Amino acid sequence: MRLIVQAKKFKIVVLLVLIINSTLITADNTKSLKANSDTDIALVELGKRLFFDKRLSGDSSIACSDCHQPQHGFTHNSPLSPGYPGNKHFRNAPTLINTALKTRWFHDGRIATNLNDVVREMLTEDYIMNMDMRLMQERLKQDPIYPTLFDQAGLGEPSNGGVRKALPAFLASLTSLQNAYDTDELTVQAKQGKKLFFGKAGCSQCHRGILFTDELPHNTGVPENLSVFLDPLRHQAFLAFNMFMGVSDYMSLKRDVGAHVLTHKADGSDREQFITPTLKELKYTAPYMHNGVFNTLNEVISFYNKGGGKDRNLDKRIKPLNLTKVEQKSLVAFLESLSSPTNVAKQYSDLKQQYSYHLIEKWQEKVN
Amino acid sequence: MKRLKYLWFKVATFTLLLLWAQQVLFQQAKASQFPPLSPLGKVPEPNDNKTTEQKVALGKLLFFDGRLGGDGSTACASCHVPEMGWDWPGKLSLGYPGTIHWRNAQTIINAAYYDKLFWAGSAKSLEGQARSAAKGAVAGNGEDDIMEARLALIPEYREQFKKVFGDEWPKINNAWNAIAAFERTLIQTDTPLDRFLIGDKAALTTEQIAGKKLFEGKAGCIQCHNGALASDQSYHNVGVPPSSEWLTNPLAQITMRYELYAKGINEQQYRHTKADPGAYFRTKHSAMKGKFRTPSLRYTLYTAPYMHNGELADLKEVINFYDRGGFTKDGRTTAYPATKSQLIKPLGLTKKEKQQLLLFLKAFSGEKITIERPKLPAYQPLFSKNELKEAKK
């Protein structure tokens, strides 16, 4: 809960929390907040339905939830995300839990405005959902339920702008539950891990703040996931992406250039840098790293213990740690304490929505 | 009194005679004022995309390759099906998965002779048509970058693009060039009508010759279906009613609204338009509402159903439609009466005349053209595992 309360700028989250903890607010405030809250709840409900709707992709075959699966902590349990049919994705799907608290998104950090822009990119990119949002809004108008949901959420009729408000609202509702770290109920082992995390192991140099990330790009020498280049279906998405991002040598790339797509340094010193991921909820989000090369937290810690990977631009902070087996184990215990005791996403696992279109009768007489 | 009556009779007879003469003269004038039906001749070829054998071979592969599209499922050949007249047999075209298109797919055969493509003439070349179709959200839904990336990962394409266009890596625009070159080979210039026109008088039956006379005279078809292509390549509202699919198919209702929205019209029109505005989208001029480019009559024997939205099931219905003055059997007609062509009037054709016209229409088509579907080349990784392993970070 500490995490949520700190995130004051996220109005919706805060409002939702206030509704839940209505004892915290005065009677006078309740009224005005309540009015807003009904709309906000409706907005979240709308976003939730959209999140699971396959018709938000160009060929109506995949929903947001296909790559960000609730049962896997809103990630996908394969190293690389499936992506749009006809090709596959070239990176690991990051968790959406707490994503509303981030200030920049994607493993390369290419968007640093807001979730509205992130949602637009996810919906329209040809290797992700390949949706023409003008078509999307007409699809939603044809649904027997959406017009009401949009209206209740104060968005008027279904529109692409409305989708880009409702999905972020839903994402904002996906926040961590209280964990052992938040409540200061760490086991002895985890406490030792905490000491290492903030001390000898040096993790907190990059993994800091409420989300345990500095949200900055670093080169830790993560081994390349060769499937990106060996599977033409992934490689084509990788090529299209780098072409689009203006990386001039995209055809000869044998490495994911990461944040270079943004900074384009001529000397290449910005290549293979990736944004520090959050450590929250990582119990549910394996495999790890931007390309999913590590299956377990043990592997991740063993990787850093050896001083990361090989790279000419390896971050100076990455050095062999000389942790003992016991120390490594306590570090894992600490990392696990940063996850909710139960999967936040569990409540969405059983969500079964019915999606259909309805025929507009007497169409000639109706207003479009 | 009797004399006066006789005079009246004389005046009336004379007037009628005069009117008849005028009509005959007008009909003749009408026939001669339009380019006559003629053999098709050599296929036009743009200067910047000359046809070569290798280019055609590459274009043929690409025509059948769904990887030029969004999810790999929808090739040119998906809606322009060779075995089905090189078009789609439904009223409205197939469309990208999750959608249905909003217009009838036209045959590719002889498309090379048009100077503008699509029902509203929105593409100026076959090259442009291929690009638009591959990228449209309710057609191919492809995007340049991913389509180009896919071509680069198919060694056979890399090789052929290099040979044909000299590109180190395949360029997506050259894919459209190759497809267009392939389409320029899909022509039919030896129909019974062509043979008749170049002097083989036995190429048409007596009935068909009578039909030709009707075509050029009483039925007035020649007014729009003229020249070598049997199309004036101009835009007319002949009275085709709005698509009946829009009354029964939710997907069709979605696409209809999407097209209105995507093609950029004002709010008022978006809310109230219930019929395809056709060429209006290109000019935004109300005189263009409901107008569509005259289609060629060549190869039509294999391309049912007819009209821009496939509302007429067969050629018989087409003839009856025009005979009724642009009305379907159930009395439906255009939703844009203000722009309906003055040329379209009830024709008063007899049953026999209709039959003759129908037989003549068949003379615009020769043998069915089919093709052996090519085996498509496969993806191959660009780098070997060793090359990747050796690459320094």
Side-chain angles (χ1 to χ4, degrees):
Chain A
M1 216 38 80
R2 175 173 117 185
L3 176 117
I4 295 165
V5 174
Q6 281 179 34
K8 280 186 180 132
K9 57 186 160 176
F10 293 92
K11 182 181 142 233
I12 296 159
V13 181
V14 174
L15 283 173
L16 283 172
V17 173
L18 290 177
I19 302 157
I20 298 158
N21 303 329
S22 51
T23 47
L24 294 175
I25 45 178
T26 66
D28 282 335
N29 284 341
T30 315
K31 265 186 190 169
S32 57
L33 281 172
K34 190 85 182 157
N36 278 334
S37 304
D38 284 344
T39 316
D40 289 337
I41 291 169
L43 198 61
V44 172
E45 280 306 307
L46 169 60
K48 192 201 293 179
R49 190 164 194 269
L50 290 166
F51 187 82
F52 293 91
D53 191 341
K54 291 181 190 296
R55 296 169 304 179
L56 262 63
S57 63
D59 65 356
S60 294
S61 67
I62 55 163
C64 308
S65 58
D66 282 271
C67 295
H68 299 283
Q69 299 182 348
Q71 66 272 30
H72 296 119
F74 286 90
T75 69
H76 198 277
N77 62 344
S78 61
L80 302 170
S81 183
Y84 192 68
N87 55 256
K88 296 176 192 166
H89 207 299
F90 52 90
R91 286 193 188 140
N92 182 261
T95 180
L96 300 183
I97 305 169
N98 301 324
T99 196
L101 304 176
K102 287 160 69 168
T103 60
R104 61 194 301 184
W105 290 268
F106 303 110
H107 291 296
D108 49 29
R110 65 186 178 273
I111 289 184
T113 46
N114 52 47
L115 280 176
N116 186 310
D117 285 340
V118 175
V119 164
R120 173 193 45 72
E121 168 136 335
M122 293 291 96
L123 288 173
T124 57
E125 272 307 322
D126 50 17
Y127 57 92
I128 302 172
M129 288 176 84
N130 196 26
M131 186 76 241
D132 181 329
M133 291 201 285
R134 299 168 300 184
L135 178 61
M136 176 184 72
Q137 80 178 19
E138 300 305 335
R139 281 184 180 168
L140 299 180
K141 283 182 202 167
Q142 203 75 29
D143 184 279
I145 296 165
Y146 279 124
T148 313
L149 289 185
F150 272 80
D151 190 50
Q152 283 169 353
L155 295 168
E157 67 179 350
S159 66
N160 102 47
V163 170
R164 289 163 58 188
K165 284 189 182 120
L167 278 171
F170 170 64
L171 296 179
S173 75
L174 300 175
T175 47
S176 284
L177 304 174
Q178 281 189 323
N179 57 51
Y181 174 76
D182 290 332
T183 53
D184 219 1
E185 287 164 7
L186 296 180
T187 60
V188 177
Q189 195 186 21
K191 268 184 190 156
Q192 281 163 347
K194 182 180 171 186
K195 225 179 248 171
L196 289 162
F197 185 92
F198 288 100
K200 184 178 170 191
C203 315
S204 63
Q205 295 173 97
C206 300
H207 292 284
R208 55 179 188 239
I210 52 164
L211 290 180
F212 288 84
T213 163
D214 57 3
E215 297 193 77
L216 291 172
H218 301 286
N219 185 335
T220 62
V222 175
E224 208 62 40
N225 185 335
L226 295 187
S227 308
V228 171
F229 304 90
L230 288 173
D231 182 346
L233 293 180
R234 297 195 191 284
H235 196 191
Q236 65 184 236
F238 176 81
L239 290 176
F241 168 70
N242 281 280
M243 196 189 309
F244 177 75
M245 294 304 286
V247 179
S248 52
D249 58 341
Y250 63 89
M251 281 308 305
S252 56
L253 292 179
K254 296 188 184 75
R255 299 286 178 248
D256 187 340
V257 297
H260 174 75
V261 297
L262 269 186
T263 40
H264 290 284
K265 282 193 185 161
D267 63 0
S269 59
D270 57 350
R271 293 195 172 202
E272 289 103 60
Q273 290 187 331
F274 296 90
I275 304 289
T276 311
T278 179
L279 299 181
K280 288 262 174 171
E281 305 305 317
L282 45 56
K283 219 163 105 182
Y284 310 104
T285 66
Y288 303 103
M289 304 310 198
H290 69 274
N291 54 13
V293 285
F294 298 133
N295 285 318
T296 61
L297 291 175
N298 285 331
E299 282 177 53
V300 175
I301 288 183
S302 151
F303 168 76
Y304 284 118
N305 191 40
K306 281 183 230 144
K310 275 185 193 146
D311 198 297
R312 68 204 140 106
N313 296 316
L314 194 70
D315 193 289
K316 300 251 170 342
R317 280 164 285 193
I318 305 292
K319 279 170 194 155
L321 303 174
N322 302 315
L323 300 175
T324 64
K325 281 248 159 82
V326 175
E327 285 175 325
Q328 292 184 39
K329 269 191 182 158
S330 9
L331 208 44
V332 171
F334 173 67
L335 290 180
E336 283 176 346
S337 78
L338 302 176
S339 299
S340 311
T342 55
N343 191 342
V344 176
K346 224 172 179 183
Q347 55 185 307
Y348 302 101
S349 304
D350 303 326
L351 198 71
K352 290 230 165 45
Q353 310 241 21
Q354 291 297 319
Y355 296 105
S356 64
Y357 291 125
H358 78 143
L359 182 74
I360 298 170
E361 308 280 355
K362 294 185 181 160
W363 142 273
Q364 296 285 353
E365 297 150 38
K366 298 274 168 65
V367 172
N368 281 339
Chain B
M1 201 60 176
K2 213 174 194 181
R3 203 182 266 174
L4 201 67
K5 241 185 190 171
Y6 182 62
L7 189 70
W8 266 113
F9 180 72
K10 262 167 62 176
V11 169
T13 314
F14 182 73
T15 315
L16 277 173
L17 258 165
L18 208 72
L19 279 171
W20 176 78
Q22 202 185 358
Q23 187 75 16
V24 167
L25 283 169
F26 178 68
Q27 288 289 356
Q28 280 172 354
K30 224 160 60 172
S32 60
Q33 105 191 39
F34 302 104
L37 294 173
S38 54
L40 256 185
K42 221 179 139 212
V43 68
E45 208 180 275
N47 284 328
D48 57 356
N49 190 26
K50 291 290 179 195
T51 304
T52 67
E53 213 173 293
Q54 284 179 329
K55 199 188 279 182
V56 170
L58 172 59
K60 180 179 169 182
L61 290 175
L62 296 171
F63 185 86
F64 287 92
D65 199 333
R67 289 170 292 192
L68 287 182
D71 64 359
S73 71
T74 314
C76 307
S78 302
C79 294
H80 301 283
V81 189
E83 298 79 13
M84 296 172 176
W86 298 81
D87 72 349
W88 180 253
K91 288 183 185 180
L92 300 177
S93 188
L94 175 69
Y96 190 68
T99 76
I100 181 172
H101 204 273
W102 76 320
R103 287 180 185 155
N104 182 260
Q106 300 184 80
T107 183
I108 300 286
I109 303 298
N110 293 333
Y113 290 88
Y114 286 112
D115 53 25
K116 287 200 175 66
L117 282 297
F118 289 121
W119 284 106
S122 52
K124 291 193 195 81
S125 62
L126 285 178
E127 288 81 358
Q129 192 278 339
R131 181 179 58 234
S132 292
K135 296 177 74 168
V138 297
N141 200 27
E143 280 203 46
D144 285 350
D145 54 16
I146 201 113
M147 291 191 284
E148 197 164 290
R150 284 177 185 161
L151 294 173
L153 294 174
I154 303 165
E156 217 170 309
Y157 281 151
R158 281 207 299 278
E159 206 175 292
Q160 290 199 36
F161 272 82
K162 193 164 186 180
K163 252 191 227 161
V164 175
F165 299 103
D167 300 331
E168 192 55 35
W169 298 103
K171 291 198 175 98
I172 193 67
N173 277 342
N174 281 331
W176 317 134
N177 284 335
I179 288 172
F182 167 62
E183 287 175 326
R184 289 192 178 96
T185 66
L186 298 174
I187 56 174
Q188 187 168 69
T189 56
D190 57 346
T191 63
L193 177 65
D194 289 300
R195 290 199 291 277
F196 179 82
L197 291 171
I198 56 174
D200 177 6
K201 296 301 162 195
L204 297 187
T205 64
T206 325
E207 290 290 273
Q208 284 178 317
I209 292 170
K212 183 170 182 283
K213 209 170 259 173
L214 287 161
F215 186 93
E216 291 162 337
K218 185 176 174 186
C221 315
I222 191 79
Q223 298 171 105
C224 300
H225 293 285
N226 53 44
L229 197 54
S231 163
D232 60 359
Q233 305 203 47
S234 185
Y235 309 94
H236 305 279
N237 175 356
V238 297
V240 180
S243 175
S244 51
E245 289 273 325
W246 296 340
L247 305 175
T248 55
N249 186 341
L251 281 180
Q253 293 179 341
I254 291 170
T255 299
M256 164 61 176
R257 284 195 313 270
Y258 159 71
E259 290 289 348
L260 292 177
Y261 191 83
K263 288 193 162 58
I265 52 173
N266 62 39
E267 167 97 18
Q268 167 75 10
Q269 286 177 319
Y270 167 77
R271 296 293 174 197
H272 297 284
T273 303
K274 296 292 178 178
D276 188 342
Y280 171 79
F281 280 133
R282 298 192 46 234
T283 60
K284 302 289 192 292
H285 197 294
S286 58
M288 295 305 280
K289 275 188 182 168
K291 291 188 178 177
F292 297 89
R293 192 210 45 197
T294 311
S296 173
L297 297 180
R298 291 176 172 275
Y299 209 68
T300 44
L301 195 54
Y302 311 109
T303 66
Y306 301 102
M307 304 311 198
H308 69 272
N309 54 15
E311 279 300 291
L312 305 179
D314 53 36
L315 290 174
K316 226 182 205 169
E317 258 195 70
V318 174
I319 291 173
N320 283 325
F321 171 80
Y322 282 117
D323 187 51
R324 285 186 290 258
F327 287 89
T328 56
K329 200 174 177 182
D330 51 10
R332 292 185 309 136
T333 187
T334 176
Y336 301 108
T339 60
K340 189 169 168 185
S341 173
Q342 299 294 318
L343 303 173
I344 306 296
K345 283 170 190 154
L347 301 173
L349 298 174
T350 66
K351 219 174 176 184
K352 192 179 169 193
E353 286 173 327
K354 286 183 193 171
Q355 181 60 17
Q356 289 168 333
L357 207 47
L358 180 68
L359 290 170
F360 176 61
L361 285 182
K362 289 182 177 170
F364 283 93
S365 307
E367 293 290 305
K368 211 169 174 179
I369 298 173
T370 51
I371 199 167
E372 203 181 317
R373 285 173 177 255
K375 193 176 173 286
L376 296 176
Y379 287 124
Q380 281 291 326
L382 200 57
F383 308 115
S384 70
K385 209 168 187 175
N386 270 345
E387 282 175 301
L388 288 166
K389 275 185 175 164
E390 282 164 15
K392 283 223 169 70
K393 289 198 98 180

